[in-house]
Amino acid sequence: MKKNDKLNNIRNIGIIAHIDAGKTTVTERVLYYTGRSHKIGEVHDGEAVMDWMVDEQERGITITSAVTTCQWNGRDIQVIDTPGHVDFTIEVERSLRVLDGAVGVFCAVGGVEPQSETVWRQADRYRVPKIAFINKLDRIGADFFGTVQMMRDRLKANPMILQIPMGAEDSFSGVVDLIRMQQIRWDDDTLGASYNAGDIDAEFLEDAEVYREQLLETLAEVDDGIMEAYLSEAPIDTEAILAAVRKATVTLELVPVLCGSALKNKGIQPLLDAIVQFLPSPAEVPAIKGVHPETGESILCLPDEKTPLAALIFKVSMMEGRKLSYVRVYSGKLTAGTDVFNPSRNKKEKLSRILKMHANKRERVDTVGPGAIVGIVGLKDSSTGETLCNQDHPVLLEKMDFYEPVISVAVEPKTHSDQEKLQQVLDKFMAEDPTLRVREDEDTGQTILSGMGELHLEIITSRMQREFNTQVNVGKPQVVYRETIESAAVGTAVFDKEVAGNRHYGEVTLRLEPLSRGEGNRFASSLKDEDLPPTLVKAVEKGVMESLESGILMGYPVVDVKAVLTGADARESNGTELAFTVAASMAVREALSTGASFLLDPIMDVEVIVPEDFMGDVIGDLNARGGKIESIEPKLGVQTIKATVPLARMFGYSTSLRSATQGRGTFSMQFSRFDRS
């Protein structure tokens, strides 16, 4: 075997799409026809190999990306089946970061659906070559050519039709291959495992010739050899077309479009052929670049076993209570039982075991080289997005970007034993999922869980119960306000008491003045040292600041107030720090009660990305929530709306936005300031 044959025979691909487009059904057929599994698992029966979690089987959706390997025509295809629900976008993001190619699955009825747009843009961002598979052609309302047009309109893609369907809906019977100009029909008796390729039936021949001509025209625009032959009307052989299609796919100029019905076992084998023929091997994609962790010097990580190690942890999973790290090797090799170096944490880690994954099943291997996607047991400190390398050749690969959570719930343990387990369980979930955040609200004492959507948090609380037997009550988080005053006010207070046999006396007069938003609290004294000693002025300041920690309306902290000490009486020998601290606190309370106190809302910076057609509805909804539109910026096919909105009005916004935009809008939110809403 030649030096690079092994590398050239690898295809790292992801199956990406909107929820319910048929990704997992396609993957199950891929595993069956490649001999990786001996039974077709159906999503609707809860038996899909790749949907192995109980929550996935119950809901009939993919929640976590699963990795498997199969063989087709002498090639090793490493497949990652990704979720289609918007709440689990991070699973797609981190998968695309390590893949060399992707298959976008589209429903022929729904066309290009919202999450399809999101994952397609993610793939574009990572410059991942793509093949499109238009699925569900047997369904009522299936429209192959309408879906291709939607790819042009919504994805700004340049589709290249390689197959057209024979019939549609109930009459869908097979596909016409425009490259070889033959029709393919599948045998229902063998669950589609056997199929026949032959001459095109007369009823499909005219369409086939029209679309074959279109295919050659499309290729002629990007390939000089095809252009020359096309203009001179010379015959163009199959091999030349295949080479041109491959080149245009790898360079991201065109997207090959195939079709079929995965549920009816039609169209999968040509899709597998297209994966090995048109998508690149790890040797054909540009070598990944890293930097030296100390010098910042750029390092090219060539896909060769003899070069220093560079591998990226793209996912961490807890399986049977043990930490399993998913790793893509870019250069060098990983060997079980050896040490590797994590430059992000400046730590050595031991590779206890290297596992080839097949969903939740695994097979031990000793060594893997470039292009491998494997599971590793034994990494204690390393987490998602970090690099593994050799200590004598350190390299830092580009970190992964994670989305900010957009929705929060409050969780509280049901029993004392649940209380003890809760933090450990949440730590495990956070190690797995970088988009999950947990914090304890200092003001309310609530444990706040923040995630990408309602379903995301629902799955987390469900898994707490199923996998860790930890019961929690889930509720809305309380909004934490601040208090301030509208107008200047004066307060005077006297503290005169005997404490522990000593007389304590202090009289304080304070003026509270409102400050601009965000200025914080300040203290000043207009008295001279002979009027009041500096130690007692300090005691007054302490009393003021402590008192401002709790307002008179609802007990929230008071902000943006200036307190000026305007008068004091110490009575010789009886003036003490305790008296002045308490008197100052009492004077603040009196001034707050006459200074027209009011609440400040937490105001959020909200960024909404929405297709142009829905912009009016989205802006109207933000205005109804008391939002202020700051700017609207056009981007490719979408508009970015930036606004400020009170947090209290943002609960349930995730669901409202999806309803208003047919699921095509996304948003992010972060704290801006406290202000009047």
Side-chain angles (χ1 to χ4, degrees), residues 479-520:
V479 175
V480 178
Y481 297 90
R482 293 289 183 264
E483 298 183 20
T484 193
I485 54 171
E486 196 157 31
S487 54
V490 175
T492 300
V494 177
F495 182 81
D496 184 6
K497 274 189 182 170
E498 193 172 298
V499 180
N502 293 320
R503 194 85 191 154
H504 295 270
Y505 181 87
E507 183 182 333
V508 172
T509 301
L510 292 164
R511 187 174 74 254
L512 296 187
E513 302 167 358
L515 295 174
S516 300
R517 295 290 79 83
E519 284 197 47

Side-chain angles (χ1 to χ4, degrees), residues 100-171:
D100 304 320
V103 176
V105 179
F106 299 95
C107 171
V109 182
V112 177
E113 294 168 286
Q115 188 62 5
S116 305
E117 290 182 62
T118 306
V119 296
W120 198 269
R121 284 195 202 109
Q122 288 171 311
D124 282 343
R125 189 163 69 247
Y126 290 118
R127 296 196 55 77
V128 176
K130 296 170 285 294
I131 290 173
F133 180 74
I134 297 178
N135 190 26
K136 302 193 178 185
L137 282 164
D138 59 310
R139 291 268 299 277
I140 292 170
D143 183 356
F144 173 76
F145 296 106
T147 304
V148 172
Q149 189 55 46
M150 285 177 84
M151 287 177 64
R152 291 191 182 97
D153 298 340
R154 287 195 179 177
L155 304 177
K156 310 299 180 214
N158 198 352
M160 164 177 49
I161 297 174
L162 303 187
Q163 294 176 349
I164 58 171
M166 294 161 61
E169 301 181 351
D170 291 347
S171 63

Side-chain angles (χ1 to χ4, degrees), residues 510-655:
L510 292 164
R511 187 174 74 254
L512 296 187
E513 302 167 358
L515 295 174
S516 300
R517 295 290 79 83
E519 284 197 47
N521 292 333
R522 293 191 203 154
F523 174 79
S525 172
S526 62
L527 303 182
K528 295 177 179 165
D529 286 357
E530 54 266 30
D531 296 331
L532 195 69
T535 53
L536 295 182
V537 172
K538 276 279 181 203
V540 170
E541 182 178 359
K542 182 186 174 197
V544 166
M545 292 309 180
E546 283 177 357
S547 187
L548 291 177
E549 286 175 11
S550 174
I552 60 165
L553 292 177
M554 294 173 69
Y556 291 112
V558 179
V559 295
D560 302 333
V561 166
K562 182 178 181 181
V564 182
L565 176 61
T566 57
D569 181 10
R571 270 195 201 167
E572 275 186 50
S573 76
N574 284 337
T576 63
E577 290 181 27
L578 170 65
F580 276 89
T581 299
V582 177
S585 180
M586 291 160 63
V588 166
R589 308 303 286 177
E590 186 185 317
L592 286 175
S593 63
T594 58
S597 288
F598 63 93
L599 286 178
L600 294 173
D601 279 81
I603 304 293
M604 311 304 284
D605 279 329
V606 179
E607 183 175 288
V608 188
I609 297 173
V610 61
E612 227 162 295
D613 308 352
F614 305 104
M615 204 167 70
D617 290 344
V618 171
I619 290 173
D621 185 41
L622 288 170
N623 287 334
R625 292 170 185 272
K628 293 186 176 73
I629 308 300
E630 307 273 311
S631 68
I632 300 171
E633 296 168 15
K635 286 187 180 173
L636 190 65
V638 293
Q639 298 279 343
T640 301
I641 303 166
K642 293 186 177 175
T644 56
V645 192
L647 174 62
R649 308 290 293 277
M650 286 301 286
F651 289 119
Y653 183 64
S654 164
T655 308

Side-chain angles (χ1 to χ4, degrees), residues 33 56 86 128 154 159 174 179 185 235 249 285 313 340 344 355 384 471 493 498 522 562 564 584 608 618 622 663 672:
Y33 298 134
E56 292 179 313
V86 64
V128 176
R154 287 195 179 177
I179 296 178
R185 288 185 194 272
T249 306
V285 293
I313 302 168
V340 290
S344 304
L355 307 167
T384 305
Q471 311 290 328
E498 193 172 298
R522 293 191 203 154
K562 182 178 181 181
V564 182
V608 188
V618 171
L622 288 170
S672 168

Side-chain angles (χ1 to χ4, degrees), residues 162-211:
L162 303 187
Q163 294 176 349
I164 58 171
M166 294 161 61
E169 301 181 351
D170 291 347
S171 63
F172 174 64
S173 58
V175 303
V176 173
D177 178 348
L178 299 176
I179 296 178
R180 297 169 185 83
M181 282 303 278
Q182 59 184 21
Q183 70 178 31
I184 306 170
R185 288 185 194 272
W186 279 265
D187 182 1
D188 290 336
D189 294 336
T190 62
L191 292 176
S194 59
Y195 54 96
N196 300 305
D199 294 338
I200 302 167
D201 289 349
E203 62 180 304
F204 304 116
L205 191 55
E206 189 180 333
D207 278 352
E209 285 169 347
V210 169
Y211 286 105

